[in-house]
Amino acid sequence: MEEQIATLVAELASLKEAAAGLNRTTAETFYFLTIPLMVLIHAGFLSYEMGASRAKNALSSGIKNILAFAFIIPTFYYAGWFIYWAFPTGFSMSAGPLGISGYDYALGAANPAGEVMGPNLADSATGVFFGAFAMFAATTASIMSGSLIERIQIVGFVILAIVLGSFVWILGAAWGWHADGWLVTALGYHDFGASGVVHAIAGFFTLGVLINLGARVGKFNADGSANSIAGHSMPATLVGLMLIIAGFWGFLMACVIFPGEPWSWGSGIFATIYGTPVNLSAMTFNILMGFAGGAIAAWAITHDPFWMMSGALGGIISVAAGLDLYWPPMAFVIAMIGGAIMPIAARIVERMQIDDAVGAVALHGVVGLWGVVAVGIFASGYPALASEGAPQITLYGQVVGAVIMAVLGFVPGYLVSLLLKSMGLLRVPREAEIMGLDKAKVPAVAYPEILGETHGPTTPAQ
């Protein structure tokens, strides 16, 4: 009998080990797969921006987008990941209530010279989490990128992208997208799908840059009226927007915490980054309702294909912050409001003599703020954290959080771009802009047969 019991105990231990190993590899694979899905966002931004540019600027628009992606990876490795874990409680770098933040914790979790930040068979989580967050970081730069097309210097843009993607947004994430974040613990701030910490921060950072960058040549007349500067390929822009939306399924997947691991909130169900429960079924209802509501509202108001597809993305951004809390019909209405706000906000920005080439300030900045505030309107009273005695979500906390996200984005965007402007690194010369940045800066042209450049400059690839 004792031998049988010993055998059963050994078999049970073996089964537990196998189950734990399966759960660990499943969790690792889950986050690993979110990364290529999020790369679709950047393929979409690439197509979106190149299509929104005139043919003479198509390649330069694409190149700066890819360079931003490339530069953010190492800078986020060395700085951004550490900021997320070190600064949730503020600039003191002290530990938060749950003990998963502060300088000492960050040294263990995100030291670029530490053992977890490299090949380590004992750690199946850090690399894939880092990869997902690095894609969030690159997304902020891509949001900014489209607004600045056809007149920004590549070197200036890369510097701005690094500042936004590896320093600014991740500070906002530490404050409002971390269970020890002071906005969460003090105000009950809730931003599940990053309407504020990604979209609003990037949108208002972009606004700060646009003020210093100035409008494209020919955008505004002497009387202040605006001229439409159409991109060379609306189909490429629409396909790009649809790819961004496809990639956002990976983005929102990466916002959940897989169950059953030592770093998980529990063993039975997915959780938000705050530890509150969520599942992929609830997310699916609301993502689809967000897409539909935003697209329908934007189309009804503008009858413009560009704004219709932007509205679909805006609908998802509108519901992202409360994606885990909304009933689907509620999500549809919230998305419709976001889709309606967006073109109105874009017209206001244009009347301010600000040339936002793709409407990112309205789509990501203003609609991102709406997404944050909507949680306070429609989901007040829910616990902001899973812990006992946790603060509740309130309209006050969401409004204050929204304001902080806007300011955190705008101020560094304005100041860094002002510095670059004073150094001559922000805008290309007028002659280069008129000639076209592909010819002046790349040098190559996207469509040599159409643009009459069949015998123009060649590149090693050609």
Side-chain angles (χ1 to χ4, degrees):
M1 178 66 72
E2 290 181 358
E3 290 183 0
Q4 290 177 325
I5 292 174
T7 300
L8 288 172
V9 169
E11 288 178 353
L12 180 60
S14 178
L15 286 171
K16 285 184 175 179
E17 183 180 357
L22 178 60
N23 197 82
R24 183 171 59 253
T25 55
T26 302
E28 184 179 19
T29 303
F30 178 88
Y31 292 108
F32 184 84
L33 292 176
T34 66
I35 297 169
L37 281 172
M38 282 193 275
V39 172
L40 285 179
I41 293 174
H42 302 287
F45 274 117
L46 189 68
S47 177
Y48 171 56
E49 291 179 32
M50 292 175 73
S53 300
R54 287 166 287 186
K56 65 181 181 178
N57 298 310
L59 288 179
S60 64
S61 295
I63 285 169
K64 69 179 176 56
N65 207 311
I66 295 170
L67 284 175
F69 187 104
F71 274 96
I72 282 172
I73 301 302
T75 54
F76 192 78
Y77 179 89
Y78 284 109
W81 193 227
F82 183 88
I83 290 170
Y84 181 71
W85 296 107
F87 290 94
T89 59
F91 294 107
S92 68
M93 292 194 285
S94 58
L98 297 176
I100 53 173
S101 59
Y103 180 78
D104 291 336
Y105 189 89
L107 278 182
N111 180 1
E115 62 180 10
V116 299
M117 295 296 283
N120 182 355
L121 294 179
D123 180 0
S124 59
T126 300
V128 288
F129 275 127
F130 162 80
F133 269 75
M135 293 302 102
F136 296 143
T139 298
T140 63
S142 291
I143 288 169
M144 171 179 64
S145 180
S147 291
L148 315 178
I149 55 175
E150 302 193 310
R151 74 264 201 208
I152 192 164
Q153 290 207 41
I154 289 177
V155 64
F157 173 75
V158 169
I159 292 169
L160 289 164
I162 290 170
V163 171
L164 173 58
S166 293
F167 294 91
V168 173
W169 92 272
I170 195 63
L171 183 61
W175 294 349
W177 212 33
H178 189 296
D180 270 346
W182 70 268
L183 282 175
V184 182
T185 59
L187 298 174
Y189 180 79
H190 187 89
D191 193 5
F192 167 70
S195 297
V197 301
V198 169
H199 296 283
I201 287 178
F204 281 89
F205 187 99
T206 300
L207 177 61
V209 175
L210 285 169
I211 291 171
N212 288 311
L213 180 64
R216 288 168 289 179
V217 172
K219 175 62 180 177
F220 294 108
N221 299 312
D223 62 359
S225 60
N227 298 309
S228 174
I229 300 179
H232 81 281
S233 177
M234 180 65 78
T237 298
L238 296 180
V239 169
L241 281 163
M242 186 60 82
L243 282 172
I244 294 169
I245 290 166
F248 259 87
W249 289 87
F251 183 107
L252 295 166
M253 276 176 65
C255 295
V256 305
I257 305 300
F258 202 91
E261 291 302 296
W263 40 262
S264 302
W265 290 109
S267 58
I269 191 172
F270 284 110
T272 69
I273 212 157
Y274 310 110
T276 52
V278 68
N279 61 30
L280 301 184
S281 177
M283 289 172 56
T284 301
F285 279 123
N286 289 332
I287 294 169
L288 291 174
M289 283 296 206
F291 172 98
I296 290 169
W299 174 254
I301 289 174
T302 68
H303 287 281
D304 182 290
F306 172 81
W307 287 116
M308 177 192 67
M309 282 307 303
S310 295
L313 180 55
I316 296 174
I317 295 168
S318 297
V319 300
L323 202 65
D324 55 318
L325 300 173
Y326 297 141
W327 189 249
M330 183 185 296
F332 184 79
V333 172
I334 293 168
M336 288 195 73
I337 295 171
I341 288 171
M342 179 192 59
I344 296 170
R347 285 196 290 271
I348 293 171
V349 169
E350 189 174 73
R351 289 193 191 111
M352 295 168 63
Q353 303 288 290
I354 295 172
D355 181 11
D356 182 353
V358 296
V361 173
L363 171 56
H364 298 276
V366 175
V367 173
L369 293 186
W370 160 241
V372 172
V373 173
V375 175
I377 297 172
F378 296 100
S380 287
Y382 282 95
L385 291 164
S387 56
E388 187 176 347
Q392 292 185 343
I393 298 168
T394 65
L395 178 58
Y396 172 78
Q398 294 302 112
V399 170
V400 172
V403 171
I404 289 171
M405 295 302 159
V407 172
L408 181 61
F410 178 80
V411 171
Y414 181 83
L415 293 178
V416 175
S417 61
L418 182 63
L419 177 61
L420 291 171
K421 182 178 180 179
S422 69
M423 298 168 65
L425 295 175
L426 187 62
R427 184 164 181 150
V428 299
R430 178 184 176 88
E431 295 76 13
E433 183 179 346
I434 293 171
M435 179 188 299
L437 302 189
D438 287 2
K439 185 185 293 186
K441 296 290 183 180
V442 176
V445 291
Y447 308 102
E449 296 90 350
I450 296 172
L451 297 178
E453 297 288 341
T454 53
H455 302 293
T458 58
T459 70
Q462 293 171 319

